[in-house]
Amino acid sequence: MELTERTDLTTAPTAGTATRSAAARRTATKDADGMAVASFILGLLGLLVLNVFLGPIAIALASAALWRGTARRGRAFLGLGLGIADLLVLAAFMQFDSTVSWNF
């Protein structure tokens, strides 16, 4: 009987574990929200300058934010779309100018 009680105590979650996991989830969600906002800003900025670098970064940040379960899903999807648009704009101007970058 005593052995069973010890097994139950070792497998039961403690209050400290539950508190730590809730705090970890809040931190992960907060980080994911920041990634969603950063992907949106970098995707928007990438339409004007450095789209060869900022487009893939925006795509990666948006994907990571969506994978982590951000609360700002709309912003992450906008960042993903803008990152893809950055690469499409780069490809279009590369075809038009026959260069690796473009300027005004």
Side-chain angles (χ1 to χ4, degrees):
M1 191 80 157
E2 185 177 327
L3 183 61
T4 305
E5 290 175 14
R6 283 186 181 176
T7 306
D8 290 342
L9 289 176
T10 58
T11 59
T14 61
T17 305
T19 304
R20 277 184 264 144
S21 66
R25 275 183 273 150
R26 278 193 305 269
T27 303
T29 303
K30 198 175 195 182
D31 290 343
D33 291 347
M35 285 184 201
V37 172
S39 72
F40 173 72
I41 292 171
L42 291 177
L44 196 58
L45 187 61
L47 287 174
L48 300 175
V49 293
L50 295 173
N51 49 4
V52 70
F53 298 112
L54 297 180
I57 292 172
I59 292 169
L61 284 174
S63 300
L66 289 169
W67 185 74
R68 289 186 179 190
T70 182
R72 298 180 178 198
R73 292 180 55 85
R75 189 131 332 143
F77 280 121
L78 281 173
L80 184 65
L82 285 170
I84 293 169
D86 291 346
L87 297 179
L88 292 175
V89 165
L90 176 67
F93 278 102
M94 283 175 53
Q95 288 293 322
F96 182 70
D97 289 342
S98 299
T99 61
V100 179
S101 64
W102 64 277
N103 54 19
F104 292 110

